Amino acid sequence: MSAPTDRGRSGVGYVLHALIADDGLLRAATGDIAEARVVPLRQGLSLVPMTDDLFDAVTDGGPADALGFWRLPGGFDELLARWSAHGPIAYAEAEYFAGTGEQRAAVWADGALALGPLESPPGPGDPEAVGPISLALRRLGARSSPGEDEFQSVELNRHRSTDAWLPPT
């Protein structure tokens, strides 16, 4: 994904901070964390939005900029490594406004960081380049469809903000 499209919508932004993995893995891993909300995507994947409440529930109080991410809670990378013993799990962030922005992604597998952290540079970049989140999704087994990248194929473009992913309570 180079940038979510804002065709004809000036001032529209896109913000995502989320865990992404196989639906069963995410449900099992986060089952005892009341603040975690698992939201189904396509291709058997799901995401858990990194809300303020979830961030507060899982942080160990350490610095929140681990591995260069904006919102990865302190010590959470160690928890992701433990969870990944049961299957790959990604943490992804994207922030765009009016087509300009950045994204980051990393994948943990077999108890360790397995991919990344990957980062896209600010600015429009090469529209043919594969974005960090699409590369992470590939590592999770996602496949693109004709005319779409993995980001679109699993429907990460369904909502434009992290909080919009939250199911109604």
Side-chain angles (χ1 to χ4, degrees):
M1 179 195 129
S2 56
T5 57
D6 296 330
R7 292 183 182 107
R9 298 167 63 190
S10 64
V12 174
Y14 179 91
V15 176
L16 177 70
H17 303 106
L19 303 173
I20 306 169
D22 172 81
D23 181 75
L25 171 62
L26 273 184
R27 290 183 189 282
T30 64
D32 62 343
I33 303 172
E35 297 81 2
R37 302 284 187 251
V38 179
V39 182
L41 298 169
R42 286 185 175 168
Q43 301 187 30
L45 298 175
S46 286
L47 69 76
V48 172
M50 182 54 70
T51 62
D52 291 341
D53 290 340
L54 178 58
F55 184 97
D56 292 343
V58 298
T59 188
D60 68 1
D65 60 356
L67 303 174
F69 287 100
W70 301 300
R71 297 241 334 134
L72 185 67
F76 196 57
D77 54 323
E78 295 171 16
L79 186 57
L80 292 174
R82 284 197 304 276
W83 288 346
S84 76
H86 305 286
I89 186 166
Y91 181 75
E93 297 182 336
E95 294 192 9
Y96 286 91
F97 184 77
T100 301
E102 298 178 67
Q103 60 175 273
R104 293 176 172 83
V107 177
W108 287 259
D110 300 318
L113 186 62
L115 178 68
L118 305 171
E119 179 177 343
S120 68
D126 177 2
E128 300 300 316
V130 177
I133 295 175
S134 284
L135 289 172
L137 290 169
R138 284 181 187 175
R139 180 66 173 80
L140 299 178
R143 297 293 167 243
S144 61
S145 301
E148 296 181 321
D149 60 10
E150 291 79 4
F151 188 100
Q152 295 162 317
S153 291
V154 302
E155 290 191 327
L156 280 177
N157 56 346
R158 190 179 340 155
H159 298 291
R160 301 199 67 79
S161 73
T162 300
D163 288 340
W165 285 96
L166 294 173
T169 55

